[in-house]
Amino acid sequence: MLTTLKRIVQEVNQIPVLDDALSCLANRLIEALKVDSCSIYLADYEQQYFMLVATQGLAKAAVGQVSIGFSEGLVGLIGQREEPLNISDAQRHPRFKHYPEVQEDNYHAFLGAPIIHQRKVLGVLTLQQQHKRRFSEDEEAFLVTLAMQLAVEIANAKARGSINLLQENIPKYWQKSLKGVPGSSGLASGVGYLQNIMMSIHSHVPKRSKNQQVQVQNYRQAVKQTQADMAVLSERMQGEVPDDVRAIFQLYYHLLDANSLGRDVEKEIKAGWDAPTSLKMVVESYIRQFQAMNDPYMRERAVDVEDMGNRVLANILGITADKSVKREIPEHCILIAEEVTAVMLAEFPNEKLMGIVSMRGSNNSHAAIMARAMGVPAVMGLSNIPIALLNEKEILLDGYTGDVIVSPNVTIRHEFDQLVLEEQLLSERIHSEDTLPAVTTDNCEIRLFTNAGLSLETEKNDNPHSDGVGLFRTEIPFMMRERFPTEHEQVELYRGLLEAEPNKPFTMRTLDVGGDKPLPYFPISEENPFLGWRGIRLTLDHPEIFLVQIRAMLRASIGLENLNIMLPMITSVSEVSEAKRLIRQAFYEVEEEAREQGESLHMPKIGVMLEVPAVLYQLPQLSKIVDFFSVGSNDLTQYLLAVDRNNARVANLYDSYHPAVLSALHTIAKHSDLLQVPVTVCGELAGEPGGVVLLLAMGYRKLSMNNHNLLKVKWIVRNIHRGNAEQLLAKVLTLNNPQDVREEINLYLESVGLGGLVRAGI
Ligand code: PEP
Ligand code: MG
């Protein structure tokens, strides 16, 4: 069975267009299971029905014509119950509904399985047989397994936009709102700009064409162009590269010859596909042939065939052969990328960046944190959306809810503009009180610090409204280079930062790479990077890197007294002891140097991030060897809930309002107080309206957030009453799930006039 399953899935996967693949699947299933009919229905949630999209055994004319309502017939029943249905005589079942067009009068035995992807029923797969019998348990299990695999394919195909039924230029559902994960609050509108469009035959969305002549012409012209490009390249490389590399150009030449690739591509064009799709089909089949070869040298050539395919594709589409599109960035731009990275954002022209849509990532991936730091609304994790279709479209983005509206109509646009206006008004009001103190209505003072380091250009470290820097992430300067920065380079950078406001504390965190922050020049390949070699684990294993950084921090602080050093990802007391030993070693070295210059070196305060749950049980021990704690609620949430903060598939499970996270935060506040260790919260929760209220109620008096949120947080503090916040905390601590907590908090915020901070409009 397993071999059959694998064979079928493999064969079906190789067909680029979903409805062709589904037809093939129906055929193969009939052969493999010796049944009389196999059909596939796909759900259309807008119309609330299942459409017959492929069949072998039912009337072919019914494909694309017969739809079965979500609450109708046996197919509807499978969708409703989300489980297989196995009956010996379908026609006698009370839910059986007769659809004359499908011509199933002769069939009795019926087995159907839902096709479910991420809890959503995408369709139904059915088998039918003329004689009455119950399908065996093996057959049922086989169908369920197949439906599960099919679900992923269908979801991916939808993502590629290749379901023909939906493909009339832009599918209807594109007019509506798409749902992602809120990444950075705020509203934004602009033109979609797809970063790095790669011309790849694999990601090309198949299309049919009626105009065969034009398609053949396009194809032939593109081949000529590619051959000319190759000749130039080959000429240029003469003498510079070994002969076997140049031999690859010969291979390209040979393949591009009209008698091999050309003949096959033109055959596909005649079958009704456009030139790029025909090319895709043929090149992908060549790649498979090369990959299956015994000779390792020939197997390797699959990559070259793919590269050549990409080049021809780029030429067909009239795009330069370096495969990337050099386009003007629109004035009001919504940046779209498969995965928006922190470096990508750092390099993007800020003045044009209105919003961000990242297909991957989640609420607390570093790209989202950076978007918040820049004050740019962002939506993350739209993973199943055909990304290319957002390019150059007008886009409205709601970073509060995660909604993305593509090509809005006039009414929606008008309403949206109104909300943007209201958001601006609120922001003006908040700014008008920027010099007032951060004190609650019942006189509880909160100290507000800033998080910095994610974007050196956009974040000013001398914010007159902040009490200092509560977290400086040192990773980005490391990530933006092609090698580790030298000690001197680090000293220069850190000195500038410490000097900007010498009378305010500045907390520098030692290097926290690993996880979703890899260094381009020090790749780490791990199965579970967030549970792997990250933060202090990596730097303690490489004291040469740690010591250089600490020395740089200390040298930068000569003559100043505002440096605090913070250690990330602490799991054990021994890590702190070891780090402190190295810090002391560096201190004595630098102190001597300072003395020689007639300067003094102040021993910085040393603290740890509380972000790995293990430290919750070691607070007394830690309190004896550190000067302060800082709660990293981002990682604490990730590790307490065992939810990857970067994985869109589980984004809905990542929630700092989870009762376990709230309870952990509460415990830390109480223990830090008892142990008399100063504590700050520097995770994203400290910059969120609801988080501010709860943290304050728990007893936290120091919060650190991005610059952009600082005045908002101050506004919140000034508008709440500590006593009321404590009542709210007592109530939410009795709740069982994060959604209820959020609702309760939002009700409270609305009641004190702060609703405009958690949703669009005032
Ligand atoms: C955290 O984990 O809460 C934190 C502040 O650190 P980072 O987001 O950089 O991991
Ligand atoms: Mg962290």
Side-chain angles (χ1 to χ4, degrees):
M1 275 292 195
L2 185 63
T3 338
T4 318
L5 185 80
K6 268 196 187 151
R7 188 173 40 77
I8 295 179
V9 171
Q10 241 169 30
E11 188 180 350
V12 169
N13 278 354
Q14 285 169 2
I15 302 173
V17 179
L18 189 72
D19 44 10
D20 290 354
L22 295 180
S23 285
C24 167
L25 176 79
N27 268 330
R28 294 292 170 270
L29 273 182
I30 284 194
E31 286 160 16
L33 297 176
K34 314 244 172 317
V35 292
D36 300 322
S37 158
C38 172
S39 309
I40 297 141
Y41 301 81
L42 289 188
D44 181 331
Y45 278 84
E46 193 160 308
Q47 306 291 336
Q48 293 280 300
Y49 60 51
F50 291 101
M51 172 65 81
L52 177 67
V53 293
T55 184
Q56 194 62 33
L58 298 184
K60 283 268 194 277
V63 169
Q65 301 299 322
V66 166
S67 54
I68 301 180
F70 278 173
S71 52
E72 286 177 354
L74 299 178
V75 168
L77 183 64
I78 293 168
Q80 276 173 329
R81 299 213 327 220
E82 302 184 354
E83 58 177 358
L85 184 65
N86 184 356
I87 36 183
S88 59
D89 188 357
Q91 308 204 9
R92 295 176 68 94
H93 192 281
R95 276 289 293 268
F96 179 79
K97 189 169 171 196
H98 187 60
Y99 294 90
E101 307 93 313
V102 299
Q103 298 172 11
E104 59 181 343
D105 300 344
N106 294 335
Y107 296 128
H108 293 282
F110 176 97
L111 174 63
I115 303 167
I116 302 179
H117 183 71
Q118 294 185 346
R119 298 191 186 186
K120 191 169 181 187
V121 178
L122 299 183
V124 172
L125 176 61
T126 65
L127 300 178
Q128 284 167 284
Q129 197 122 39
Q130 291 192 1
H131 62 273
K132 293 179 191 161
R133 69 155 178 127
R134 240 185 105 77
F135 283 87
S136 71
E137 283 194 3
D138 270 0
E139 286 167 320
E140 191 174 320
F142 181 85
L143 199 69
V144 169
T145 316
L146 193 71
M148 268 175 80
Q149 306 217 8
L150 193 56
V152 180
E153 285 312 308
I154 292 176
N156 288 345
K158 271 193 168 174
R160 294 193 303 267
S162 63
I163 295 177
N164 278 354
L165 289 173
L166 301 175
Q167 212 190 328
E168 287 311 321
N169 291 327
I170 299 171
K172 262 191 284 159
Y173 60 78
W174 280 97
Q175 309 296 329
K176 294 195 319 187
S177 170
L178 305 168
K179 195 80 182 164
V181 181
S184 169
S185 63
L187 302 174
S189 64
V191 178
Y193 176 82
L194 185 54
Q195 180 91 346
N196 301 334
I197 300 186
M198 293 299 284
M199 281 307 130
S200 144
I201 47 155
H202 290 312
S203 59
H204 181 76
V205 179
K207 273 200 197 108
R208 298 190 193 268
S209 165
K210 292 200 176 83
N211 201 337
Q212 293 178 9
Q213 228 177 347
V214 173
Q215 297 303 322
V216 170
Q217 239 172 37
N218 286 352
Y219 170 71
R220 287 184 184 169
Q221 220 175 324
V223 167
K224 257 198 208 142
Q225 181 60 49
T226 314
Q227 281 171 329
D229 296 343
M230 289 294 107
V232 173
L233 263 182
S234 172
E235 186 70 23
R236 205 185 298 154
M237 287 185 178
Q238 198 157 18
E240 285 180 24
V241 294
D243 283 352
D244 59 342
V245 175
R246 283 190 71 221
I248 292 168
F249 292 104
Q250 295 301 321
L251 173 77
Y252 282 9
Y253 237 92
H254 181 71
L255 281 170
L256 288 170
D257 190 286
N259 286 328
S260 49
L261 187 82
R263 194 184 43 216
D264 294 344
V265 171
E266 290 182 19
K267 206 165 108 199
E268 295 299 343
I269 293 177
K270 295 212 171 83
W273 297 105
D274 70 357
T277 309
S278 305
L279 177 77
K280 171 191 170 76
M281 289 167 156
V282 174
V283 170
E284 283 182 346
S285 108
Y286 276 34
I287 291 173
R288 284 194 294 276
Q289 286 173 34
F290 273 86
Q291 282 169 340
M293 287 181 186
N294 286 332
D295 178 10
Y297 177 82
M298 290 312 280
R299 261 203 315 272
E300 288 288 306
R301 302 284 66 80
V303 179
D304 299 320
V305 176
E306 182 176 341
D307 182 59
M308 182 212 55
N310 290 341
R311 285 171 186 274
V312 180
L313 178 66
N315 280 328
I316 296 180
L317 300 174
I319 292 166
T320 54
D322 75 357
K323 295 181 264 172
S324 67
V325 182
K326 306 256 177 300
R327 294 155 299 150
E328 273 286 297
I329 299 175
E331 280 311 304
H332 293 93
C333 160
I334 305 282
L335 172 67
I336 302 156
E338 212 35 79
E339 179 148 28
V340 173
T341 62
V343 173
M344 197 186 277
L345 287 183
E347 287 171 349
F348 205 83
N350 277 314
E351 65 291 353
K352 297 189 170 180
L353 187 63
M354 300 296 123
I356 294 164
V357 175
S358 180
M359 299 296 134
R360 284 205 286 275
S362 180
N363 180 269
N364 266 343
S365 31
H366 281 92
I369 294 180
M370 189 156 166
R372 291 197 282 269
M374 295 165 78
V376 179
V379 173
M380 318 290 291
L382 281 104
S383 42
N384 281 337
I385 306 299
I387 181 169
L389 292 185
L390 294 174
N391 193 34
E392 293 176 8
K393 295 274 167 347
E394 187 186 356
I395 291 176
L396 307 179
L397 183 152
D398 184 337
Y400 297 100
T401 57
D403 286 313
V404 175
I405 303 166
V406 188
S407 311
N409 62 32
V410 186
T411 325
I412 293 180
R413 157 136 284 308
H414 192 73
E415 279 172 19
F416 196 86
D417 288 345
Q418 182 58 32
L419 292 173
V420 171
L421 214 65
E422 290 179 20
E423 197 175 51
Q424 276 163 4
L425 279 177
L426 181 63
S427 167
E428 279 162 23
R429 270 171 64 191
I430 289 172
H431 277 81
S432 70
E433 295 198 0
D434 58 357
T435 54
L436 299 177
V439 210
T440 61
T441 54
D442 50 347
N443 258 328
C444 171
E445 195 191 342
I446 304 294
R447 297 188 61 198
L448 304 181
F449 298 85
T450 42
N451 290 351
L454 276 178
S455 159
L456 293 176
E457 276 170 22
T458 52
E459 292 170 347
K460 292 200 176 56
N461 296 304
D462 51 348
N463 183 340
H465 309 299
S466 115
D467 290 309
V469 172
L471 162 66
F472 178 75
R473 291 180 169 97
T474 53
E475 296 75 65
I476 294 290
F478 281 72
M479 287 163 76
M480 295 195 63
R481 287 189 162 73
E482 282 165 9
R483 49 160 177 78
F484 283 104
T486 63
E487 185 170 328
H488 178 72
E489 283 167 340
Q490 292 186 58
V491 174
E492 296 270 288
L493 169 69
Y494 303 154
R495 180 79 192 175
L497 298 167
L498 294 174
E499 270 180 344
E501 287 186 301
N503 298 322
K504 292 183 182 175
F506 193 107
T507 305
M508 276 191 202
R509 184 173 72 180
T510 61
L511 194 62
D512 185 19
V513 288
D516 68 343
K517 287 178 290 186
L519 292 175
Y521 46 87
F522 190 57
I524 305 168
S525 167
E526 293 180 324
E527 291 260 320
N528 293 305
F530 276 118
L531 299 181
W533 207 36
R534 186 191 158 186
I536 199 75
R537 301 171 181 183
L538 188 150
T539 49
L540 284 184
D541 283 352
H542 279 282
E544 75 282 18
I545 293 170
F546 188 73
L547 280 169
V548 166
Q549 186 175 40
I550 297 292
R551 255 200 319 266
M553 289 178 182
L554 292 170
R555 285 177 62 200
S557 80
I558 291 177
L560 300 169
E561 295 190 6
N562 57 343
L563 170 69
N564 299 330
I565 294 180
M566 182 153 76
L567 308 170
M569 277 295 286
I570 291 295
T571 315
S572 314
V573 176
S574 61
E575 289 168 338
V576 186
S577 310
E578 178 61 6
K580 280 185 71 176
R581 186 184 67 75
L582 293 170
I583 294 173
R584 269 195 304 273
Q585 179 184 323
F587 182 81
Y588 295 131
E589 286 169 24
V590 179
E591 194 186 33
E592 208 174 299
E593 199 183 305
R595 216 177 304 128
E596 279 164 17
Q597 294 167 17
E599 296 271 9
S600 65
L601 181 68
H602 181 80
M603 183 66 177
K605 290 199 173 81
I606 297 168
V608 290
M609 300 268 309
L610 303 182
E611 51 185 350
V612 177
V615 292
L616 256 88
Y617 305 96
Q618 300 172 86
L619 294 176
Q621 293 90 324
L622 286 170
S623 72
K624 294 197 184 91
I625 54 171
V626 301
D627 301 308
F628 64 90
F629 291 148
S630 189
V631 184
S633 55
N634 309 337
D635 279 315
L636 190 63
T637 304
Q638 143 162 286
Y639 295 126
L640 259 180
L641 304 182
V643 177
D644 179 347
R645 67 194 256 187
N646 216 19
N647 183 344
R649 198 176 283 170
V650 286
N652 60 336
L653 300 177
Y654 181 100
D655 201 326
S656 299
Y657 291 159
H658 188 291
V661 179
L662 295 180
S663 173
L665 291 167
H666 200 192
T667 304
I668 293 173
K670 285 188 289 196
H671 280 73
S672 305
D673 189 37
L674 284 173
L675 297 163
Q676 299 192 327
V677 182
V679 63
T680 309
V681 180
C682 66
E684 292 299 292
L685 194 63
E688 260 177 45
V692 173
V693 180
L694 295 183
L695 292 170
L696 189 143
M698 289 175 191
Y700 291 99
R701 296 293 174 262
K702 291 178 174 184
L703 304 177
S704 190
M705 69 231 55
N706 66 56
N707 244 318
H708 189 80
N709 275 345
L710 195 116
L711 291 182
K712 252 192 237 173
V713 172
K714 190 193 273 197
W715 171 268
I716 297 164
V717 171
R718 292 184 50 76
N719 280 282
I720 59 176
H721 183 277
R722 183 178 58 167
N724 293 348
E726 283 169 355
Q727 275 174 15
L728 175 73
L729 175 69
K731 181 153 191 200
V732 300
L733 286 176
T734 65
L735 301 174
N736 288 333
N737 66 66
Q739 292 76 15
D740 295 344
V741 173
R742 184 162 278 107
E743 247 169 56
E744 204 58 54
I745 294 172
N746 288 351
L747 274 178
Y748 172 77
L749 292 172
E750 293 287 352
S751 76
V752 292
L754 295 172
L757 296 175
V758 285
R759 52 155 172 76
I762 29 182

